[in-house]
Amino acid sequence: MFAEKPTLKGERVTLRPAGPEHADGLIELISDPEVHRLTGSHGHVEPEHARRWYATRGEHTERLDLAIMADDDYVGEVVLNELDTDNLSCNLRIALVGARVFGKGYGTEAIGLVLGHAFGTTPLHRVKLAVYAFNERARHVYKKIGFVEEGVERDALRWDGEWHDAVLMSILRPEWQARWGSLA
């Protein structure tokens, strides 16, 4: 379903198929402590592993990894993964490189572009995600786009000795189309 790796252009950002040329940006992203907290990422990823990871993204037809570019600067990634072809469903995840790009609308536009692609050019019916309850900024963006809260995974993340819930959200094709039309 994701064999084609499109380039999607918006007003602020362009989404490009993630590749080795974006590895330095990914390394910046995974090195930011605030990004670790917001994504619940424990541990450290070696830069060489990140380079190998981005070098292979184009080979995977069951997922779509897109680099978020603003004025030719890597500012994050948006990914459709966990594809369930029987139920026409997948997961969405997004991460921005850190505070230097937060609050500029890059994430909102990137999500809109990738959902417009998913619901406009694939047969997908449902896109889901999980966001930690403390990440109010992200939850606000997801709700603004049209995601609906479905439930809570209690104590899904242990961070600095404290437990945090994960809020489960989704958006369905008819909800997207009613709000935004078939394409972003």
Side-chain angles (χ1 to χ4, degrees):
M1 188 171 305
F2 297 130
E4 178 189 337
K5 310 297 185 189
T7 295
L8 307 172
K9 295 181 187 263
E11 291 180 21
R12 292 180 197 91
V13 299
T14 299
L15 307 183
R16 299 193 184 285
E21 66 274 20
H22 305 115
D24 288 340
L26 177 62
I27 292 164
E28 178 186 358
L29 186 152
I30 62 176
S31 299
D32 186 289
E34 181 65 359
V35 172
H36 278 257
R37 185 180 76 84
L38 294 173
T39 61
S41 300
H42 295 286
H44 172 74
V45 177
E46 292 297 323
E48 192 50 41
H49 176 77
R51 290 183 199 292
R52 284 193 308 271
W53 176 259
Y54 261 15
T56 63
R57 297 305 84 203
E59 302 167 12
H60 298 272
T61 60
E62 79 289 355
R63 59 185 291 140
L64 179 61
D65 295 76
L66 298 172
I68 305 169
M69 308 298 291
D71 297 323
D72 293 323
D73 182 31
Y74 177 98
V75 296
E77 68 173 10
V78 62
V79 178
L80 296 176
N81 62 0
E82 300 176 19
L83 179 63
D84 178 347
T85 56
D86 293 328
N87 295 303
L88 299 176
S89 177
C90 73
N91 182 71
L92 177 139
R93 76 176 166 77
I94 185 168
L96 299 176
V97 296
R100 75 176 174 87
V101 301
F102 290 164
K104 296 186 178 185
Y106 298 153
T108 303
E109 186 173 73
I111 294 167
L113 288 168
V114 79
L115 289 176
H117 172 74
F119 292 134
T121 64
T122 78
L124 282 173
H125 175 73
R126 181 174 189 271
V127 176
K128 64 176 181 155
L129 60 83
V131 58
Y132 295 112
F134 59 76
N135 192 345
E136 289 295 331
R137 181 177 53 241
R139 288 174 66 193
H140 171 77
V141 167
Y142 299 140
K143 287 177 187 177
K144 179 170 69 171
I145 288 171
F147 280 86
V148 174
E149 291 186 1
E150 297 182 321
V152 174
E153 284 186 56
R154 298 176 305 141
D155 289 355
L157 173 69
R158 187 164 184 245
W159 197 264
D160 287 339
E162 293 185 31
W163 290 103
H164 302 278
D165 295 342
V167 178
L168 307 176
M169 304 178 82
S170 74
I171 188 167
L172 306 177
R173 175 187 291 274
E175 295 166 343
W176 173 263
Q177 290 175 333
R179 185 175 217 150
W180 303 103
S182 62
L183 296 174

